[in-house]
Amino acid sequence: MSSPSIPVEILDTIFEHAAHLNPRGAPSLSIVSKRIQICVEKIMYRNLIIDYENYGYPGITLYQKIMPTFRKRPAYFFATYVKSLCLMVEQSDYTCPEFILAKCTGLRHLGLWCPPNFGTATWILPLAPTLESLLTDRRIFREVADSGVTFPKLTYFWLSTQHYLPLPLLHWAPALEAVCLDMYAAKYWMDDIETIMSSAPNIVSIVMEVVDDMIPSMHEWMEARLPSHVNYEAKPWTIDRDDFSFITYWIEVLAKLMV
């Protein structure tokens, strides 16, 4: 009598769940069989955080470890599997981030952290049809807005103030519902709120991360001017911007959006 076999659909689910629970062990699962490799890789590559150092953060993949895979695998592999991507960029190297983004054309969530005056919106524009959330700095965000390209599915963005630039009009993101602005040392937050309310008709949530002494005046101003259907919050910025806690905090913001 032959032993009863487990249906392949159930096996797929078991291995996918195992890879999800233990991402570090996923590569060893992928060598079980070709079919299991396909199932496990859906989990392994779904959410990627890539940097040049790991800063002790367990979820970070190093560029030097993953670039051989990006060079070897066909573009459709990453376009199909990678849905959330966080890229840290250094001024000494833009070819790796540019190469990776060119292959991940099915992204839903993107975090792009660049040094001041480095990086470009041209890396992001090809993602317009699928992108749902974007975390980046104001310079790159303004370049995206000025491009004239519409992002029909973008519902959320988070912006840092490495350098302050006024928030552009948001008609190019017609589905936008929620924003988070790092207003550290920024003086013109009222202008930003007015821009959001005048050009994002579907907005329902605004979060401002600010230094403590700005919070009372923000609450009073927003209470008087924002419609009742818009939820708003002004919360203190408590991260030391000169240490690695800023990097890990930013990664965790993106992680909340990951699929």
Side-chain angles (χ1 to χ4, degrees), residues 120-196:
T120 170
T122 58
W123 297 350
I124 301 175
L125 298 182
L127 307 175
T130 61
L131 205 62
E132 297 174 17
S133 60
L134 174 63
L135 289 77
T136 190
D137 66 57
R138 285 176 177 255
R139 179 185 58 81
I140 291 179
F141 189 77
R142 175 165 279 279
E143 287 182 14
V144 171
D146 291 345
S147 71
V149 175
T150 297
F151 284 65
K153 295 184 178 180
L154 190 71
T155 59
Y156 174 86
F157 68 77
W158 181 97
L159 298 184
S160 72
T161 47
Q162 286 177 295
H163 29 239
Y164 184 75
L165 292 170
L167 198 65
L169 293 174
L170 302 168
H171 301 298
W172 54 277
L176 190 65
E177 296 179 353
V179 302
C180 182
L181 303 177
D182 162 16
M183 300 299 292
Y184 184 87
K187 299 178 181 178
Y188 307 108
W189 58 269
M190 288 181 285
D191 293 340
D192 285 349
I193 297 292
E194 301 234 347
T195 297
I196 293 169

Side-chain angles (χ1 to χ4, degrees), residues 24-232:
R24 289 187 175 185
S28 60
L29 294 176
S30 67
I31 64 175
V32 172
S33 70
K34 186 66 175 179
R35 182 183 182 89
I36 298 305
Q37 178 186 3
I38 293 172
C39 293
V40 170
E41 284 180 342
K42 292 179 184 178
I43 307 300
M44 289 173 56
Y45 292 95
R46 181 180 295 171
N47 303 314
L48 293 178
I49 300 169
I50 307 176
D51 202 345
Y52 301 90
E53 298 181 52
N54 64 22
Y55 308 110
Y57 191 89
I60 292 179
T61 299
L62 300 179
Y63 276 102
Q64 58 264 39
K65 288 188 175 182
I66 203 167
M67 282 306 295
T69 302
F70 268 90
R71 293 190 177 101
K72 180 174 65 175
R73 293 289 183 95
Y76 74 81
F77 174 87
F78 301 100
T80 301
Y81 288 153
V82 182
K83 299 305 176 186
S84 301
L85 177 64
C86 179
L87 287 181
M88 304 299 185
V89 181
E90 288 188 353
Q91 198 154 348
S92 59
D93 174 29
Y94 65 88
T95 57
C96 288
E98 184 176 25
F99 185 79
I100 288 171
L101 282 169
K103 287 201 168 186
C104 297
T105 53
L107 280 180
R108 291 170 54 191
H109 310 290
L110 172 64
L112 183 62
W113 179 258
C114 299
N117 302 314
F118 191 73
T120 170
T122 58
W123 297 350
I124 301 175
L125 298 182
L127 307 175
T130 61
L131 205 62
E132 297 174 17
S133 60
L134 174 63
L135 289 77
T136 190
D137 66 57
R138 285 176 177 255
R139 179 185 58 81
I140 291 179
F141 189 77
R142 175 165 279 279
E143 287 182 14
V144 171
D146 291 345
S147 71
V149 175
T150 297
F151 284 65
K153 295 184 178 180
L154 190 71
T155 59
Y156 174 86
F157 68 77
W158 181 97
L159 298 184
S160 72
T161 47
Q162 286 177 295
H163 29 239
Y164 184 75
L165 292 170
L167 198 65
L169 293 174
L170 302 168
H171 301 298
W172 54 277
L176 190 65
E177 296 179 353
V179 302
C180 182
L181 303 177
D182 162 16
M183 300 299 292
Y184 184 87
K187 299 178 181 178
Y188 307 108
W189 58 269
M190 288 181 285
D191 293 340
D192 285 349
I193 297 292
E194 301 234 347
T195 297
I196 293 169
M197 297 310 301
S198 67
S199 59
N202 297 314
I203 200 76
V204 294
S205 176
I206 300 173
V207 176
M208 315 282 278
E209 297 180 339
V210 299
V211 291
D212 288 354
D213 58 4
M214 295 173 65
I215 292 178
S217 60
M218 277 189 166
H219 274 303
E220 182 179 352
W221 189 90
M222 289 192 286
E223 182 74 28
R225 288 168 176 80
L226 295 186
S228 58
H229 72 276
V230 177
N231 297 315
Y232 64 88

